[in-house]
């Protein structure tokens, strides 16, 4: 039992650790072995090639439009993750920046693998669409359950939701969530049912849920963001401000 517990702990630590510089360099070297040209000029006339090799019209083919929205969603997540990595680098990960900074670095480390996996799954989803429902979908199929577990883990340290909150977070995760929603709508609304695997739609729906919870958790650990804000709280604050202004006006007039 002790050995099993130790193995489970080691597995959890491995899942949530940040990649080392050597691993990043090795991954970059491997990626460079698959060289492709940036400028091809093949799309200058308004047509492009899908992964299947099919040439299609950029403005008329629904798959191209959906791929563009998926690309936007992936880029939004990548931008948010980049901001998280910068915040963790500023802290250095050793707690030297104080309790708040240490909490940020820990948060980034604990969520790094899942966030990177969402990027990989989006690339698989794009490949599936580009090949008209073909290609590898291992991450797309595995991640919904993993993200549900992460939503519960993150939620354990968050207040219970009683109202819609304003989309405020330090990294742009709510923007990424909104882009994923648009991607889900594009897939479901612009593609034929047999043009993509249904697992793609499930993945996108769960991804937006995960990003929502991740944004809430990020706002809770970054110093200065403050408590979650809602429409109800805003209206109370406005009433209080109006009452204070009226009181001040009365005092000024009487003085």
């Amino acid at each position: 039992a002790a050995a099993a517990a130790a193995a489970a702990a080691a597995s959890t630590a491995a899942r949530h650790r940040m990649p080392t510089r050597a691993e990043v360099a090795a991954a970059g070297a491997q990626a460079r072995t698959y060289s492709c040209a940036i400028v091809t000029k093949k799309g200058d006339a308004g047509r492009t090639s899908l992964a299947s090799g099919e040439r299609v019209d950029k403005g008329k083919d629904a798959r191209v439009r959906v791929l563009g929205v998926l690309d936007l969603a992936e880029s939004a997540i990548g931008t948010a993750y980049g901001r998280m990595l910068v915040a963790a680098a500023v802290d250095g990960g050793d707690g030297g920046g104080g309790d708040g900074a240490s909490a940020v670095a820990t948060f980034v480390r604990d969520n790094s693998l899942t966030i990177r996996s969402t990027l990989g799954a989006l690339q698989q989803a794009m490949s599936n669409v580009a090949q008209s429902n073909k290609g590898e979908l291992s991450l797309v199929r595995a991640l919904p359950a993993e993200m549900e577990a992460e939503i519960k883990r993150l939620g354990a340290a968050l207040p219970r939701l009683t109202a819609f909150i304003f989309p405020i977070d330090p990294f742009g995760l709510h923007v990424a969530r909104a882009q994923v929603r648009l991607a889900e709508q594009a897939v479901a609304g612009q593609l034929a049912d047999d043009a993509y695997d249904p697992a793609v739609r499930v993945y996108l729906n769960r991804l937006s849920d995960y990003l929502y919870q991740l944004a809430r958790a990020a706002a809770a650990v970054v110093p200065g963001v403050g408590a979650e804000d809602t429409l109800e709280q805003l209206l109370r604050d406005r009433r209080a401000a109006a009452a204070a202004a009226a009181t001040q006006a009365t005092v000024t007039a009487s003085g």
Side-chain angles (χ1 to χ4, degrees):
S11 176
T12 299
R15 286 186 65 244
H16 293 304
R17 73 177 181 84
M18 297 284 285
T20 65
R21 290 180 180 273
E23 289 171 336
V24 172
Q30 183 179 19
R32 285 191 292 272
T33 64
Y34 302 96
S35 177
C36 59
I38 301 299
V39 179
T40 65
K41 301 184 181 180
K42 294 180 179 179
D44 289 355
R47 298 180 67 80
T48 189
S49 296
L50 297 178
S52 62
E54 181 183 359
R55 295 285 294 175
V56 296
D57 191 299
K58 291 182 179 181
K60 297 179 181 179
D61 193 283
R63 290 167 295 179
V64 176
R65 293 195 296 271
V66 170
L67 288 171
V69 182
L70 286 168
D71 185 22
L72 190 59
E74 184 188 23
S75 298
I77 296 174
T79 299
Y81 181 49
R83 291 171 177 167
M84 293 171 68
L85 291 174
V86 169
V90 169
D91 169 46
D94 58 1
D99 291 342
S102 179
V104 172
T106 300
F107 173 79
V108 174
R109 182 194 66 221
D110 288 350
N111 294 284
S112 177
L113 183 61
T114 302
I115 298 171
R116 290 167 55 218
S117 297
T118 68
L119 296 173
L122 276 169
Q123 290 195 357
Q124 287 187 348
M126 285 188 277
S127 179
N128 181 258
V129 171
Q131 297 182 76
S132 299
N133 198 6
K134 296 178 182 178
E136 174 63 39
L137 287 175
S138 57
L139 284 171
V140 169
R141 298 186 192 283
L143 274 180
E146 291 183 20
M147 288 188 292
E148 286 180 29
E150 288 297 289
I151 289 169
K152 292 180 180 178
R153 179 183 69 83
L154 293 167
L158 296 172
R160 186 172 66 90
L161 276 176
T162 59
F164 287 109
I165 62 172
F166 290 152
I168 300 170
D169 77 90
F171 302 124
L173 290 162
H174 277 301
V175 174
R177 170 188 58 80
Q179 295 291 356
V180 170
R181 282 292 190 203
L182 290 176
E184 180 190 0
Q185 294 165 14
V187 167
Q190 298 186 37
L191 296 178
D193 290 342
D194 60 353
Y196 66 97
D197 193 291
V200 171
R201 190 172 62 244
V202 174
Y203 165 68
L204 292 173
N205 190 23
R206 204 68 72 255
L207 176 57
S208 62
D209 295 336
Y210 168 68
L211 291 173
Y212 185 86
Q213 192 79 314
L214 188 66
R216 295 183 65 215
V221 300
V222 175
V225 177
E228 292 180 334
D229 204 359
T230 65
L231 175 60
E232 290 78 6
Q233 183 61 52
L234 169 65
L235 294 176
R236 286 195 294 269
D237 291 345
R238 286 179 60 84
R239 287 192 293 268
T247 301
Q248 182 61 43
T250 301
V251 171
T252 301
S254 64

